Amino acid sequence: MRFLVVLIIFLFSLAFVTISDVDRDHLLGYEELAIGSNLFKADTDEDRLFDGDEIRFGTNPTLDDTDNDNVLDGDEIRLKTNPLKADSDEDGLSDGEELKFGANPLKPDTDDDKLNDGDEVTYGTNPLSKDSDGDGLDDYFEVSNYLNPTSSDTDGDGLDDSYEISLGINPRNNDTDKDGLSDYDEIMKYNTYAYKNDSDEDGVIDSKEIQLGLDPLNSDSDGDGLSDGYELKIGTNPEISWRGWFTEDTLKSALSDVYLREVANLSKQLDGKSYIDKVWNVLEWIDENVEYNYSKAKNTQNSIIQSPSRTVAIGSGICTRLYYSYRCFVTKLKH
């Protein structure tokens, strides 16, 4: 008799449980039995979402993370992400990864730099910053132009990428003009053009000029009228002017193509019908173009100082010794 009573009570209790919501999770007992959830526990999988709500949202009440994105189903509902989709915004990062990085799991490009958060993680950039390396260039621009978005100085030459671009030099090459000098040295040390291998256009690249002790910003380092490149070509010293010295360099320079061309043009101006006409043309040209150093001339024994044409006219004077003391009193051309 007692056994029968116990059996009746058990069957009654079972019937009551199956047709009621004992754990108040919005699911009747028989529904929970059907899906395998706990009749006496409102949140079977402890994902912060009642079993009945999970059924309503389509999640699995026996799994705390239905889409396996490392975010509990209940948290996804509160964050408004999709608990059935590991990557709610389809940016290449799971919702859990985005939360880990501090990115927005509902926005594919959290920092609005035109790179999806997933791509930023692939590149090693910061999905929360448009300019990860702080060089003044957006990550998207750097990636699109094959620069390193995680380094402010892609080519390692000591100059920020943005600064190089502003100067018109290549931020991917530490020696843009391939002259043997780094862009940094050209700009910060020598003040030469980093985009031009021969800054002074004298025919000698900047690194060679510096190696030889020449001025890479002056095409004629010694100021003798011949470019450094030309002097190296004819074998003279571009550091020492040939003017005022009678050396082998003097002959090479004076007889160089540059001056021979000048003499050829001048000879046409000085030409005359007779030999006498030519001589006077030369003397008149000297009067107009040659400046005398009278202080040196006064040191000579001859006290008469005058122009060559005057010397010829009166037959005496210091200039009659022109061929012997030219370097003493004729120092430079007027023009």
Side-chain angles (χ1 to χ4, degrees):
M1 182 67 179
R2 178 179 294 180
F3 173 76
L4 182 60
V5 171
V6 172
L7 180 61
I8 292 172
I9 292 173
F10 172 76
L11 292 175
F12 178 79
S13 299
L14 182 61
F16 175 78
V17 168
T18 57
I19 61 174
S20 63
D21 182 7
V22 177
D23 56 7
R24 298 182 179 180
D25 63 356
H26 311 301
L27 287 178
L28 298 176
Y30 71 86
E31 293 176 314
E32 298 223 47
L33 289 172
I35 62 175
S37 59
N38 192 328
L39 286 71
F40 304 100
K41 191 175 182 180
D43 181 8
T44 300
D45 53 12
E46 299 181 348
D47 62 357
R48 303 174 187 172
L49 198 63
F50 284 172
D51 296 343
D53 292 332
E54 296 223 44
I55 296 300
R56 181 161 60 92
F57 289 119
T59 56
N60 189 334
T62 63
L63 289 177
D64 59 1
D65 180 13
T66 301
D67 57 8
N68 197 32
D69 62 359
N70 293 318
V71 182
L72 295 178
D73 294 340
D75 291 340
E76 295 223 45
I77 297 301
R78 278 181 282 280
L79 292 170
K80 298 183 179 180
T81 54
N82 190 341
L84 302 176
K85 191 175 184 180
D87 180 9
S88 297
D89 55 9
E90 299 182 346
D91 61 358
L93 291 179
S94 71
D95 297 340
E97 289 175 317
E98 298 223 44
L99 293 175
K100 177 182 176 182
F101 290 118
N104 188 342
L106 294 172
K107 187 177 182 181
D109 180 13
T110 299
D111 56 10
D112 294 318
D113 63 356
K114 298 181 182 179
L115 286 178
N116 282 347
D117 297 339
D119 291 334
E120 297 226 40
V121 171
T122 300
Y123 294 125
T125 55
N126 186 348
L128 305 179
S129 173
K130 290 183 178 182
D131 180 12
S132 297
D133 54 13
D135 63 357
L137 301 173
D138 288 352
D139 294 340
Y140 176 79
F141 177 86
E142 297 212 55
V143 170
S144 300
N145 288 277
Y146 305 101
L147 301 176
N148 186 345
T150 64
S151 172
S152 60
D153 181 12
T154 298
D155 56 13
D157 61 0
L159 300 173
D160 281 357
D161 295 340
S162 57
Y163 184 53
E164 296 207 54
I165 290 173
S166 71
L167 295 176
I169 56 181
N170 189 346
R172 298 191 303 272
N173 188 336
N174 59 16
D175 180 11
T176 299
D177 55 11
K178 299 180 181 179
D179 62 356
L181 296 174
S182 72
D183 294 341
Y184 179 89
D185 284 347
E186 295 222 49
I187 293 167
M188 308 302 291
K189 188 174 181 180
Y190 301 114
N191 201 32
T192 50
Y193 299 127
Y195 55 84
K196 190 176 185 180
N197 61 16
D198 181 10
S199 296
D200 55 10
E201 299 182 346
D202 61 357
V204 186
I205 64 173
D206 296 339
S207 59
K208 184 69 173 179
E209 295 214 51
I210 291 171
Q211 179 185 350
L212 295 174
L214 304 176
D215 185 351
L217 295 173
N218 185 347
S219 61
D220 182 10
S221 295
D222 56 13
D224 63 358
L226 297 176
S227 72
D228 296 340
Y230 187 74
E231 292 213 55
L232 291 174
K233 179 180 179 181
I234 65 175
T236 57
N237 189 342
E239 292 184 88
I240 302 176
S241 173
W242 62 272
R243 297 177 181 278
W245 304 92
F246 192 78
T247 64
E248 183 179 350
D249 277 8
T250 304
L251 291 176
K252 287 181 179 179
S253 300
L255 296 176
S256 66
D257 290 342
V258 172
Y259 288 113
L260 287 178
R261 283 194 295 270
E262 289 187 10
V263 172
N265 293 330
L266 180 60
S267 65
K268 294 178 181 178
Q269 300 176 32
L270 302 180
D271 198 12
K273 294 181 179 179
S274 66
Y275 177 73
I276 297 299
D277 288 341
K278 294 179 181 180
V279 170
W280 279 107
N281 287 342
V282 170
L283 293 176
E284 288 175 358
W285 182 87
I286 292 175
D287 280 349
E288 295 175 0
N289 294 278
V290 175
E291 180 179 317
Y292 291 90
N293 188 328
Y294 292 105
S295 62
K296 289 186 177 181
K298 287 179 181 179
N299 293 329
T300 66
Q301 294 179 352
N302 194 327
S303 61
I304 301 175
I305 302 171
Q306 58 204 8
S307 67
S309 58
R310 176 64 178 164
T311 300
V312 172
I314 66 176
S316 63
I318 191 171
C319 289
T320 58
R321 299 174 60 201
L322 177 65
Y323 296 107
Y324 302 95
S325 58
Y326 180 84
R327 288 175 54 208
C328 292
F329 60 91
V330 179
T331 60
K332 62 181 179 179
L333 294 180
K334 292 180 181 179
H335 306 296

